[in-house]
């Protein structure tokens, strides 16, 4: 009997999730497996929203944002009863393995299914890049490019109006999106949750910049820095005299076509997940380290602390 696997996307969507689904479905069929799509993450698993997929079902999605399997945040699945039910539903459909595409919460869910005896291959799909065991998560690079595009436009209008702009970006507790887009976008200041910032210094730089004839000052602030950006803007305006505006970029950072980095990453990771299942592997988390696709036991991967390197901040500060 053919190996029968399930695939789902869970948590916040990310550009490249569709590319990963395509890779899992097509590689699975290539290796002689039956592939079942589970719609709406763990919520769909609990509801039995599960259907066999053919190669043609994933045609024309390699370049599309969002996830054709939909996604959800499912509170029920956080309980042992929910997890038991999810495991039983996978058994009802005869699934021998499951591919979970999502962030750290989704990996925690996968670990619970693995503990109950269902092998789980985890593929990191999240714009946040907040998992310590992998250099990249699928969607992060595209998201950084979206922020970069926005910073370019914001710089145009800031320059015209001689303003200070606070651009708040996503990333949950992680400052990676802010650091990468801030450095590449030439931001004057980058604020991340991993490092304290000096408000006096920012104010002084704004004033000095103005005195030197600079007509814009862009602050990229990660959402994980808990200060309210509108209150921060008011304070900066009072203390520097520079008109200050706020842009909270929000969900545009999660949408749009995946770039080449994310498409290649998703294709490689999807293929690797299937290779592991075909080899009869135990549950693993797929990662990307030093340009290689790697895999680790799930709990080991989850427990790798995300490291923080202030190199980008130092360079951005020196070049601003
Ligand atoms: P992400 O996967 O992007 O980090 P969430 O943290 O919202 O997003 O997690 C996605 C889903 O994974 C949750 O809605 C829930 O169903 C499941 N999940 C999250 N944390 C756990 C947990 N500790 N145990 C079991 N399932 C979890
Ligand atoms: O994890 C992806 C992410 O976009 C985070 O950057 C953000 O904090 C969160 O999801 C927003 O979640 P929601 O979609 O529930 O508003």
């Amino acid at each position: 009997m053919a190996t029968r696997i399930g695939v789902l996307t869970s948590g916040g969507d990310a550009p490249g999730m569709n590319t990963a689904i395509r890779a899992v479905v097509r590689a699975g069929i290539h290796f002689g497996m039956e592939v079942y799509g589970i719609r709406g993450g763990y919520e769909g698993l609990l509801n039995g929203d599960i259907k066999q997929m053919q190669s043609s079902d994933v045609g024309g999605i390699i370049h599309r944002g969002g996830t054709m399997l939909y996604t959800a945040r499912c509170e029920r699945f956080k309980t042992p009863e929910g997890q038991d039910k999810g495991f039983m539903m996978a058994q009802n459909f005869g699934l021998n393995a499951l591919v979970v595409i999502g962030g750290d919460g989704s990996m925690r869910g996968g670990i619970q299914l693995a503990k109950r005896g269902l092998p789980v291959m985890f593929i990191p799909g999240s714009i946040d890049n907040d998992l310590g065991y992998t250099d990249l998560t699928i969607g992060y690079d595209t998201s950084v490019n979206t922020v970069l595009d926005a910073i370019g436009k914001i710089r145009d209008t800031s320059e015209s109006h001689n303003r200070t702009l606070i651009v708040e970006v996503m990333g949950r507790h992680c400052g990676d999106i802010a650091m990468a887009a801030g450095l590449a976008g030439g931001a004057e200041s980058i604020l991340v949750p991993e490092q304290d910032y000096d408000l006096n210094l920012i104010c002084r730089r704004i004033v000095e910049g103005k005195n030197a004839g600079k007509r814009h000052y862009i602050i990229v602030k990660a959402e994980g820095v808990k200060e309210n950006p509108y209150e921060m803007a008011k304070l900066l305006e009072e203390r520097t005299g520079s008109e200050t505006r706020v842009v909270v970029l929000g969900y545009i950072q999660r949408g749009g076509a995946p770039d080449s980095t994310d498409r290649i990453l998703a294709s490689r990771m999807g293929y690797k997940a299937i290779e592991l299942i075909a080899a009869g592997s135990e549950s693993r988390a797929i990662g990307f380290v030093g340009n290689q696709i790697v895999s680790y036991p799930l709990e080991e991967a989850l427990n790798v602390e995300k490291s923080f390197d202030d190199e980008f901040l130092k360079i951005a500060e020196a070049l601003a």
Side-chain angles (χ1 to χ4, degrees), residues 56-182:
S56 57
D57 292 325
V58 291
I61 65 164
I62 193 169
H63 61 297
R64 290 202 2 227
T67 158
M68 57 99 68
L69 286 177
Y70 310 130
T71 186
R73 302 207 197 263
C74 172
E75 282 306 309
R76 271 197 297 164
F77 196 72
K78 288 186 179 170
T79 65
E81 299 73 41
Q83 292 149 14
D84 286 343
K85 194 168 174 218
F87 177 71
M88 280 189 293
M89 195 58 88
Q91 283 188 313
N92 291 344
F93 280 79
L95 302 181
N96 314 119
L98 176 68
V99 179
V100 171
I101 306 166
D104 65 320
S106 306
M107 175 151 48
R108 283 175 217 280
I111 287 171
Q112 293 308 323
L113 291 172
K115 277 186 181 156
R116 287 163 174 76
L118 178 67
V120 169
M121 299 299 155
F122 173 74
I123 295 179
S126 166
I127 62 165
D128 298 337
N129 209 38
D130 57 351
L131 289 164
Y133 80 92
T134 180
D135 293 348
L136 287 177
T137 56
I138 296 167
Y140 165 70
D141 196 70
T142 303
S143 184
V144 168
N145 283 318
T146 300
V147 175
L148 201 54
D149 180 55
I151 291 175
K153 289 169 177 155
I154 288 164
R155 181 194 281 268
D156 290 344
T157 174
S158 308
E159 179 84 20
S160 306
H161 285 264
N162 200 1
R163 281 175 176 161
T164 297
L165 254 292
I166 300 173
V167 185
E168 184 174 283
V169 302
M170 281 185 169
R172 206 172 274 192
H173 311 295
C174 179
D176 278 21
I177 295 177
M179 284 194 284

Side-chain angles (χ1 to χ4, degrees), residues 175-184 190 192 194 220 308-310 312-313:
D176 278 21
I177 295 177
M179 284 194 284
L183 175 60
I190 302 170
V192 294
E194 293 88 345
V220 176
F308 170 67
D309 184 348
D310 68 353
F312 280 21
L313 297 180

Side-chain angles (χ1 to χ4, degrees), residues 187-245:
E188 276 65 36
S189 291
I190 302 170
L191 312 184
V192 294
E194 293 88 345
Q195 193 168 81
D196 290 339
Y197 62 90
D198 181 348
L199 198 72
N200 291 333
L201 185 64
I202 296 173
C203 289
R204 199 178 86 209
R205 288 223 180 104
I206 293 172
V207 174
E208 281 174 353
K210 271 207 184 300
N211 292 342
K214 194 166 184 150
R215 290 184 55 87
H216 69 269
Y217 194 101
I218 293 175
I219 301 169
V220 176
K221 172 191 168 298
E223 67 176 347
V225 173
K226 281 304 165 205
E227 277 78 1
N228 180 307
Y230 297 95
E231 281 165 19
M232 189 184 270
K234 221 171 116 201
L235 191 69
L236 288 180
E237 196 165 296
E238 276 165 16
R239 290 183 53 172
T240 65
S242 169
E243 198 174 23
T244 306
R245 295 280 196 269

